[in-house]
Structure formats: C-alpha cells, structure tokens
Amino acid sequence: MPDGTLPGAAVRAFVEALSAHERAHIGAEVLEGIRAGGYALANPFDAVDAGIRRTLAVSRVDVPAGTQVGEFPHRSLHARAHTFAGGTLILLDTGLRPLLDRMAGTLVASQLTSSRDAQGAARYQAALLQQRQQRAETDDAFAAAVAGYLRREPAAADPQNTFGFFMARSAERFVLGHEYGHLLAGHRHTPPDGDPRNARREYEADELAAMLILRGIDDGAEFRWRALAVAGPFLFLAVEQLVNRVRGAADGTHPPPEERTALLRRVFEQAGARGLLHFAEAWVSSLLLREATIVDRARGSGPQLRPGQGEVGR
C-alpha cells in the first residue's frame, strides 16, 4: 500500500503466530505498538510490487484478491506470507533492501574499478599489489554487510551505482515473485515437516518467480540491462548462502541455495535465456568463489557472531 499501512488485525495475527524466539528478534517497541492497535512503516517495496502486478496484468493473470505487500522486521531473508480473512500479507524484512544494496553495489564496483597508467590511459587493475588490496577491501565490505545484517545494525547509506541498484531490485523482485508464485500455484497449506512436497512447492515458486523476471524484461532494452535482471535471483541466493554460512544455520523452510541456483539456471536455459546468464556467471559466481574468506571475516568482525545468531525459523 502506498502509505505503508497494513491491516492492523492481520499484522497482529501474524506476530502472535510467530514463536517466542521469532518475536524476540522483532523488538519490544515494535511488538508494543502492534498490540496497542497499529503498525505503519514506510514501504520501500511498492515499486517492485507494482512491477510484478503489471507483468501479471499483461500476462492476463489476476492477483489474488486482498494481497498486500509490506515491510516488517521478521529477520528472515525470505518474504513471509500470512493469510487472513481479507486476503494475504506478504512481508519482506526491513533489513533485506540495505543488505542487497550493499552487496550488489560492492560486487559491481569490484568488477568495474579501474586505475590509470603513467600516461593517464584508463586500464583495469593490472598491478598485482593493487589487485590484492582491492580484493581485500571488497571482501571486507561484503563481510561487513553480512555481519551488520545479522547483528541488526542500522545500515549506512552507501553510494549506489546504477548496475548495482538494478541488480538489487531484480533480487527483490525474485524474493517477492517467489511468494506470488506460491499464491498463483495454489500453495495454500504447508505440508508437515519432512514432507517431500515442501521442496517441490519451493521449486515451483522459484520457477514462477523466474518467469515473472523474464516476462518483466523489456525485449528492446540493451543486453546489459536484461542480463542484470536475470542476475538478480542468483545474487539473492548467493547472499543467502553467505548469511547461512556466517550464522551457522540454514533456513529450514527452503531448499539449500545451491540447489535452487542449479534449478534456476535450468529454468532460464529452457526458457531460451541462456545468453542472459552472463553477469550471473561472471559476477555472482565470483562472489561465491570468495565465500570462505568473506565468511571468516564476517565472523571475526566486531562482536563475535555465535552459530545460529540471527536465525529465524517458521
């Protein structure tokens, strides 16, 4: 909703359905305000939601009635859906956007940073020492972003480059599109833990989210913008994998990120978008190659992160 106001009764029901462990991550002030009768928070995901709705409209697919998207500090990278009498709430975490912006901005900047030789001609990093310094600074920035998210530290406003901004918004579109995928596929009830249908439902939602990405791409846009849109989902899954490694626990509600990544690659290839995987392969893959270093630095920066810290389950 444009003003960020969500149905108070639905938000209260969502919160009360959480475990005590999950509510502890939300914060006493937020809980008190919700129980006192209201919850209003500026919603940064309106534009992403509007883009998905436009894509569905062009595809002649109706959005399920009463679906509302908002922001809430539930501390999970995945959007959380809650069905209520008037429809469905889809809530994305308040820390998701700052984390994706910092990770995407750092990733793109690390690929495009250039220096100049003695004659002033532009060139990419060629000096070994300079490369090492840049790599160390970049790994520190990745680690700080992940550690800050898990410690729930206020995120500083980092300067954002256009490529990073576009990739981060595409990653958000995938997260939100995944929840729309559940709704469109009719996944109304969650099977018991351990039921093999759970993984199949998650893969179906991923496939529908990927289709929303592809259907939302302007065919007349330059190759780089189309490729960045396809790279967004892979960025999200790479970030999820780093967050899981740093906190020492995975979100048990979804298959492992590496399995979802392999599925997405097949989906894009089968849809004829193999050529658009360029940035996902060249940039996002490089992030995962640095995983061990980033994880070690994130665990060693500032107050010690304990295994499981920042974990939120359903």
PDB file of all heavy atoms in Angstrom, residues 22 76 78-80 178-179 182 190 193 198-199 201-202 240 250-256 260 312-314:
ATOM      1  N   GLU A  22      11.107 -16.068  17.591  1.00  0.00           N
ATOM      2  CA  GLU A  22      10.980 -15.128  16.481  1.00  0.00           C
ATOM      3  C   GLU A  22      10.555 -13.750  16.976  1.00  0.00           C
ATOM      4  O   GLU A  22      11.065 -12.729  16.510  1.00  0.00           O
ATOM      5  CB  GLU A  22       9.968 -15.657  15.472  1.00  0.00           C
ATOM      6  CG  GLU A  22      10.451 -16.889  14.715  1.00  0.00           C
ATOM      7  CD  GLU A  22       9.369 -17.472  13.824  1.00  0.00           C
ATOM      8  OE1 GLU A  22       8.264 -17.737  14.315  1.00  0.00           O
ATOM      9  OE2 GLU A  22       9.635 -17.646  12.624  1.00  0.00           O
ATOM     10  N   SER A  76      14.154 -12.577   8.464  1.00  0.00           N
ATOM     11  CA  SER A  76      14.423 -13.671   7.527  1.00  0.00           C
ATOM     12  C   SER A  76      14.633 -13.067   6.154  1.00  0.00           C
ATOM     13  O   SER A  76      13.919 -12.137   5.764  1.00  0.00           O
ATOM     14  CB  SER A  76      13.249 -14.651   7.491  1.00  0.00           C
ATOM     15  OG  SER A  76      13.421 -15.586   6.432  1.00  0.00           O
ATOM     16  N   HIS A  78      13.894 -14.432   3.457  1.00  0.00           N
ATOM     17  CA  HIS A  78      12.747 -14.783   2.643  1.00  0.00           C
ATOM     18  C   HIS A  78      11.532 -13.979   3.083  1.00  0.00           C
ATOM     19  O   HIS A  78      11.348 -13.701   4.258  1.00  0.00           O
ATOM     20  CB  HIS A  78      12.427 -16.269   2.781  1.00  0.00           C
ATOM     21  CG  HIS A  78      13.569 -17.148   2.417  1.00  0.00           C
ATOM     22  ND1 HIS A  78      14.368 -17.760   3.362  1.00  0.00           N
ATOM     23  CD2 HIS A  78      14.078 -17.504   1.214  1.00  0.00           C
ATOM     24  CE1 HIS A  78      15.305 -18.459   2.759  1.00  0.00           C
ATOM     25  NE2 HIS A  78      15.163 -18.318   1.459  1.00  0.00           N
ATOM     26  N   ALA A  79      10.696 -13.607   2.115  1.00  0.00           N
ATOM     27  CA  ALA A  79       9.445 -12.949   2.455  1.00  0.00           C
ATOM     28  C   ALA A  79       8.583 -13.916   3.262  1.00  0.00           C
ATOM     29  O   ALA A  79       8.685 -15.137   3.105  1.00  0.00           O
ATOM     30  CB  ALA A  79       8.713 -12.523   1.176  1.00  0.00           C
ATOM     31  N   ARG A  80       7.754 -13.364   4.118  1.00  0.00           N
ATOM     32  CA  ARG A  80       6.868 -14.180   4.940  1.00  0.00           C
ATOM     33  C   ARG A  80       5.431 -13.876   4.548  1.00  0.00           C
ATOM     34  O   ARG A  80       5.031 -12.711   4.489  1.00  0.00           O
ATOM     35  CB  ARG A  80       7.086 -13.870   6.422  1.00  0.00           C
ATOM     36  CG  ARG A  80       8.543 -14.016   6.885  1.00  0.00           C
ATOM     37  CD  ARG A  80       8.988 -15.463   6.882  1.00  0.00           C
ATOM     38  NE  ARG A  80       8.280 -16.238   7.873  1.00  0.00           N
ATOM     39  CZ  ARG A  80       8.682 -16.383   9.139  1.00  0.00           C
ATOM     40  NH1 ARG A  80       9.785 -15.784   9.562  1.00  0.00           N
ATOM     41  NH2 ARG A  80       7.996 -17.124   9.986  1.00  0.00           N
ATOM     42  N   HIS A 178       8.639 -14.997  -5.698  1.00  0.00           N
ATOM     43  CA  HIS A 178       8.566 -16.345  -5.134  1.00  0.00           C
ATOM     44  C   HIS A 178       7.280 -16.499  -4.319  1.00  0.00           C
ATOM     45  O   HIS A 178       6.584 -17.521  -4.424  1.00  0.00           O
ATOM     46  CB  HIS A 178       9.797 -16.601  -4.264  1.00  0.00           C
ATOM     47  CG  HIS A 178       9.795 -17.930  -3.576  1.00  0.00           C
ATOM     48  ND1 HIS A 178      10.420 -19.042  -4.103  1.00  0.00           N
ATOM     49  CD2 HIS A 178       9.257 -18.325  -2.384  1.00  0.00           C
ATOM     50  CE1 HIS A 178      10.262 -20.061  -3.278  1.00  0.00           C
ATOM     51  NE2 HIS A 178       9.560 -19.659  -2.226  1.00  0.00           N
ATOM     52  N   GLU A 179       6.937 -15.478  -3.521  1.00  0.00           N
ATOM     53  CA  GLU A 179       5.713 -15.561  -2.722  1.00  0.00           C
ATOM     54  C   GLU A 179       4.475 -15.465  -3.604  1.00  0.00           C
ATOM     55  O   GLU A 179       3.478 -16.160  -3.375  1.00  0.00           O
ATOM     56  CB  GLU A 179       5.697 -14.452  -1.666  1.00  0.00           C
ATOM     57  CG  GLU A 179       6.753 -14.615  -0.595  1.00  0.00           C
ATOM     58  CD  GLU A 179       6.709 -15.970   0.096  1.00  0.00           C
ATOM     59  OE1 GLU A 179       5.594 -16.483   0.346  1.00  0.00           O
ATOM     60  OE2 GLU A 179       7.790 -16.527   0.384  1.00  0.00           O
ATOM     61  N   HIS A 182       3.869 -18.876  -4.960  1.00  0.00           N
ATOM     62  CA  HIS A 182       3.107 -19.765  -4.076  1.00  0.00           C
ATOM     63  C   HIS A 182       1.613 -19.506  -4.208  1.00  0.00           C
ATOM     64  O   HIS A 182       0.801 -20.445  -4.275  1.00  0.00           O
ATOM     65  CB  HIS A 182       3.533 -19.543  -2.622  1.00  0.00           C
ATOM     66  CG  HIS A 182       4.806 -20.233  -2.239  1.00  0.00           C
ATOM     67  ND1 HIS A 182       5.010 -21.592  -2.416  1.00  0.00           N
ATOM     68  CD2 HIS A 182       5.943 -19.754  -1.659  1.00  0.00           C
ATOM     69  CE1 HIS A 182       6.222 -21.916  -1.976  1.00  0.00           C
ATOM     70  NE2 HIS A 182       6.801 -20.824  -1.521  1.00  0.00           N
ATOM     71  N   THR A 190       0.638 -25.544   4.192  1.00  0.00           N
ATOM     72  CA  THR A 190       2.001 -26.071   4.270  1.00  0.00           C
ATOM     73  C   THR A 190       1.972 -27.520   4.725  1.00  0.00           C
ATOM     74  O   THR A 190       1.424 -27.827   5.792  1.00  0.00           O
ATOM     75  CB  THR A 190       2.842 -25.249   5.264  1.00  0.00           C
ATOM     76  OG1 THR A 190       2.837 -23.890   4.857  1.00  0.00           O
ATOM     77  CG2 THR A 190       4.266 -25.772   5.319  1.00  0.00           C
ATOM     78  N   ASP A 193       6.442 -30.986   8.235  1.00  0.00           N
ATOM     79  CA  ASP A 193       7.894 -31.004   8.065  1.00  0.00           C
ATOM     80  C   ASP A 193       8.345 -32.371   7.562  1.00  0.00           C
ATOM     81  O   ASP A 193       7.866 -33.404   8.035  1.00  0.00           O
ATOM     82  CB  ASP A 193       8.593 -30.693   9.397  1.00  0.00           C
ATOM     83  CG  ASP A 193       8.416 -29.239   9.805  1.00  0.00           C
ATOM     84  OD1 ASP A 193       8.029 -28.435   8.939  1.00  0.00           O
ATOM     85  OD2 ASP A 193       8.646 -28.927  10.995  1.00  0.00           O
ATOM     86  N   ASN A 198       7.139 -30.304   0.161  1.00  0.00           N
ATOM     87  CA  ASN A 198       7.648 -28.980   0.530  1.00  0.00           C
ATOM     88  C   ASN A 198       8.682 -28.485  -0.461  1.00  0.00           C
ATOM     89  O   ASN A 198       8.602 -27.361  -0.960  1.00  0.00           O
ATOM     90  CB  ASN A 198       8.243 -29.013   1.940  1.00  0.00           C
ATOM     91  CG  ASN A 198       7.175 -28.936   3.025  1.00  0.00           C
ATOM     92  OD1 ASN A 198       6.201 -28.200   2.892  1.00  0.00           O
ATOM     93  ND2 ASN A 198       7.346 -29.700   4.078  1.00  0.00           N
ATOM     94  N   ALA A 199       9.695 -29.306  -0.738  1.00  0.00           N
ATOM     95  CA  ALA A 199      10.744 -28.904  -1.671  1.00  0.00           C
ATOM     96  C   ALA A 199      10.161 -28.666  -3.057  1.00  0.00           C
ATOM     97  O   ALA A 199      10.529 -27.707  -3.741  1.00  0.00           O
ATOM     98  CB  ALA A 199      11.847 -29.963  -1.731  1.00  0.00           C
ATOM     99  N   ARG A 201       7.189 -27.678  -3.856  1.00  0.00           N
ATOM    100  CA  ARG A 201       6.455 -26.407  -3.852  1.00  0.00           C
ATOM    101  C   ARG A 201       7.414 -25.221  -3.947  1.00  0.00           C
ATOM    102  O   ARG A 201       7.137 -24.239  -4.636  1.00  0.00           O
ATOM    103  CB  ARG A 201       5.614 -26.303  -2.581  1.00  0.00           C
ATOM    104  CG  ARG A 201       4.369 -27.155  -2.599  1.00  0.00           C
ATOM    105  CD  ARG A 201       3.898 -27.469  -1.185  1.00  0.00           C
ATOM    106  NE  ARG A 201       3.800 -26.293  -0.350  1.00  0.00           N
ATOM    107  CZ  ARG A 201       2.663 -25.724   0.050  1.00  0.00           C
ATOM    108  NH1 ARG A 201       1.513 -26.243  -0.350  1.00  0.00           N
ATOM    109  NH2 ARG A 201       2.656 -24.682   0.837  1.00  0.00           N
ATOM    110  N   GLU A 202       8.545 -25.302  -3.229  1.00  0.00           N
ATOM    111  CA  GLU A 202       9.515 -24.207  -3.282  1.00  0.00           C
ATOM    112  C   GLU A 202      10.115 -24.066  -4.681  1.00  0.00           C
ATOM    113  O   GLU A 202      10.319 -22.955  -5.179  1.00  0.00           O
ATOM    114  CB  GLU A 202      10.621 -24.427  -2.246  1.00  0.00           C
ATOM    115  CG  GLU A 202      10.141 -24.426  -0.798  1.00  0.00           C
ATOM    116  CD  GLU A 202       9.444 -23.134  -0.416  1.00  0.00           C
ATOM    117  OE1 GLU A 202       9.797 -22.067  -0.944  1.00  0.00           O
ATOM    118  OE2 GLU A 202       8.507 -23.193   0.412  1.00  0.00           O
ATOM    119  N   GLU A 240      22.125 -15.292   0.371  1.00  0.00           N
ATOM    120  CA  GLU A 240      21.532 -16.209   1.350  1.00  0.00           C
ATOM    121  C   GLU A 240      22.551 -17.260   1.796  1.00  0.00           C
ATOM    122  O   GLU A 240      22.656 -17.590   2.989  1.00  0.00           O
ATOM    123  CB  GLU A 240      20.309 -16.908   0.762  1.00  0.00           C
ATOM    124  CG  GLU A 240      19.644 -17.854   1.758  1.00  0.00           C
ATOM    125  CD  GLU A 240      18.599 -18.749   1.140  1.00  0.00           C
ATOM    126  OE1 GLU A 240      18.415 -18.713  -0.095  1.00  0.00           O
ATOM    127  OE2 GLU A 240      17.969 -19.505   1.896  1.00  0.00           O
ATOM    128  N   ALA A 250      20.908 -22.793   8.548  1.00  0.00           N
ATOM    129  CA  ALA A 250      20.156 -22.502   7.334  1.00  0.00           C
ATOM    130  C   ALA A 250      18.685 -22.316   7.664  1.00  0.00           C
ATOM    131  O   ALA A 250      18.207 -22.770   8.699  1.00  0.00           O
ATOM    132  CB  ALA A 250      20.327 -23.647   6.333  1.00  0.00           C
ATOM    133  N   ASP A 251      17.991 -21.631   6.786  1.00  0.00           N
ATOM    134  CA  ASP A 251      16.543 -21.513   6.906  1.00  0.00           C
ATOM    135  C   ASP A 251      15.947 -22.838   6.465  1.00  0.00           C
ATOM    136  O   ASP A 251      16.025 -23.208   5.297  1.00  0.00           O
ATOM    137  CB  ASP A 251      16.046 -20.365   6.014  1.00  0.00           C
ATOM    138  CG  ASP A 251      14.554 -20.118   6.151  1.00  0.00           C
ATOM    139  OD1 ASP A 251      13.795 -21.103   6.162  1.00  0.00           O
ATOM    140  OD2 ASP A 251      14.150 -18.953   6.236  1.00  0.00           O
ATOM    141  N   GLY A 252      15.335 -23.558   7.377  1.00  0.00           N
ATOM    142  CA  GLY A 252      14.838 -24.889   7.076  1.00  0.00           C
ATOM    143  C   GLY A 252      13.587 -24.918   6.235  1.00  0.00           C
ATOM    144  O   GLY A 252      13.096 -25.999   5.896  1.00  0.00           O
ATOM    145  N   THR A 253      13.042 -23.764   5.880  1.00  0.00           N
ATOM    146  CA  THR A 253      11.801 -23.734   5.111  1.00  0.00           C
ATOM    147  C   THR A 253      12.036 -23.790   3.608  1.00  0.00           C
ATOM    148  O   THR A 253      11.082 -23.922   2.849  1.00  0.00           O
ATOM    149  CB  THR A 253      10.989 -22.462   5.435  1.00  0.00           C
ATOM    150  OG1 THR A 253      11.743 -21.317   5.027  1.00  0.00           O
ATOM    151  CG2 THR A 253      10.710 -22.371   6.930  1.00  0.00           C
ATOM    152  N   HIS A 254      13.292 -23.642   3.169  1.00  0.00           N
ATOM    153  CA  HIS A 254      13.592 -23.635   1.745  1.00  0.00           C
ATOM    154  C   HIS A 254      14.742 -24.594   1.453  1.00  0.00           C
ATOM    155  O   HIS A 254      15.603 -24.819   2.319  1.00  0.00           O
ATOM    156  CB  HIS A 254      13.988 -22.229   1.273  1.00  0.00           C
ATOM    157  CG  HIS A 254      12.874 -21.236   1.338  1.00  0.00           C
ATOM    158  ND1 HIS A 254      12.445 -20.683   2.527  1.00  0.00           N
ATOM    159  CD2 HIS A 254      12.097 -20.697   0.361  1.00  0.00           C
ATOM    160  CE1 HIS A 254      11.447 -19.838   2.273  1.00  0.00           C
ATOM    161  NE2 HIS A 254      11.221 -19.835   0.980  1.00  0.00           N
ATOM    162  N   PRO A 255      14.795 -25.153   0.244  1.00  0.00           N
ATOM    163  CA  PRO A 255      15.946 -25.991  -0.133  1.00  0.00           C
ATOM    164  C   PRO A 255      17.228 -25.161  -0.086  1.00  0.00           C
ATOM    165  O   PRO A 255      17.194 -23.928  -0.127  1.00  0.00           O
ATOM    166  CB  PRO A 255      15.612 -26.415  -1.570  1.00  0.00           C
ATOM    167  CG  PRO A 255      14.128 -26.273  -1.681  1.00  0.00           C
ATOM    168  CD  PRO A 255      13.773 -25.103  -0.814  1.00  0.00           C
ATOM    169  N   PRO A 256      18.393 -25.808  -0.008  1.00  0.00           N
ATOM    170  CA  PRO A 256      19.668 -25.086   0.037  1.00  0.00           C
ATOM    171  C   PRO A 256      19.834 -24.172  -1.176  1.00  0.00           C
ATOM    172  O   PRO A 256      19.394 -24.503  -2.281  1.00  0.00           O
ATOM    173  CB  PRO A 256      20.718 -26.217   0.027  1.00  0.00           C
ATOM    174  CG  PRO A 256      19.993 -27.408   0.554  1.00  0.00           C
ATOM    175  CD  PRO A 256      18.577 -27.268   0.078  1.00  0.00           C
ATOM    176  N   ARG A 260      18.733 -24.476  -5.363  1.00  0.00           N
ATOM    177  CA  ARG A 260      17.828 -23.535  -6.028  1.00  0.00           C
ATOM    178  C   ARG A 260      18.546 -22.830  -7.190  1.00  0.00           C
ATOM    179  O   ARG A 260      17.939 -22.562  -8.228  1.00  0.00           O
ATOM    180  CB  ARG A 260      17.301 -22.520  -5.022  1.00  0.00           C
ATOM    181  CG  ARG A 260      16.486 -23.147  -3.901  1.00  0.00           C
ATOM    182  CD  ARG A 260      16.104 -22.114  -2.857  1.00  0.00           C
ATOM    183  NE  ARG A 260      15.142 -21.139  -3.380  1.00  0.00           N
ATOM    184  CZ  ARG A 260      14.818 -20.024  -2.729  1.00  0.00           C
ATOM    185  NH1 ARG A 260      15.394 -19.727  -1.572  1.00  0.00           N
ATOM    186  NH2 ARG A 260      13.927 -19.186  -3.254  1.00  0.00           N
ATOM    187  N   VAL A 312      16.193 -17.190  12.105  1.00  0.00           N
ATOM    188  CA  VAL A 312      14.755 -17.085  12.301  1.00  0.00           C
ATOM    189  C   VAL A 312      14.100 -18.234  11.557  1.00  0.00           C
ATOM    190  O   VAL A 312      14.323 -18.419  10.369  1.00  0.00           O
ATOM    191  CB  VAL A 312      14.194 -15.752  11.769  1.00  0.00           C
ATOM    192  CG1 VAL A 312      12.686 -15.735  11.863  1.00  0.00           C
ATOM    193  CG2 VAL A 312      14.774 -14.586  12.553  1.00  0.00           C
ATOM    194  N   GLY A 313      13.317 -19.027  12.236  1.00  0.00           N
ATOM    195  CA  GLY A 313      12.601 -20.129  11.597  1.00  0.00           C
ATOM    196  C   GLY A 313      11.123 -19.824  11.553  1.00  0.00           C
ATOM    197  O   GLY A 313      10.660 -18.841  12.087  1.00  0.00           O
ATOM    198  N   ARG A 314      10.403 -20.708  10.913  1.00  0.00           N
ATOM    199  CA  ARG A 314       8.946 -20.523  10.847  1.00  0.00           C
ATOM    200  C   ARG A 314       8.301 -21.208  12.042  1.00  0.00           C
ATOM    201  O   ARG A 314       8.752 -22.218  12.489  1.00  0.00           O
ATOM    202  CB  ARG A 314       8.379 -21.123   9.549  1.00  0.00           C
ATOM    203  CG  ARG A 314       8.696 -20.273   8.331  1.00  0.00           C
ATOM    204  CD  ARG A 314       7.984 -20.831   7.115  1.00  0.00           C
ATOM    205  NE  ARG A 314       8.435 -20.184   5.909  1.00  0.00           N
ATOM    206  CZ  ARG A 314       7.844 -19.153   5.356  1.00  0.00           C
ATOM    207  NH1 ARG A 314       6.790 -18.636   5.917  1.00  0.00           N
ATOM    208  NH2 ARG A 314       8.310 -18.610   4.256  1.00  0.00           N
TER     209      ARG A 314
END
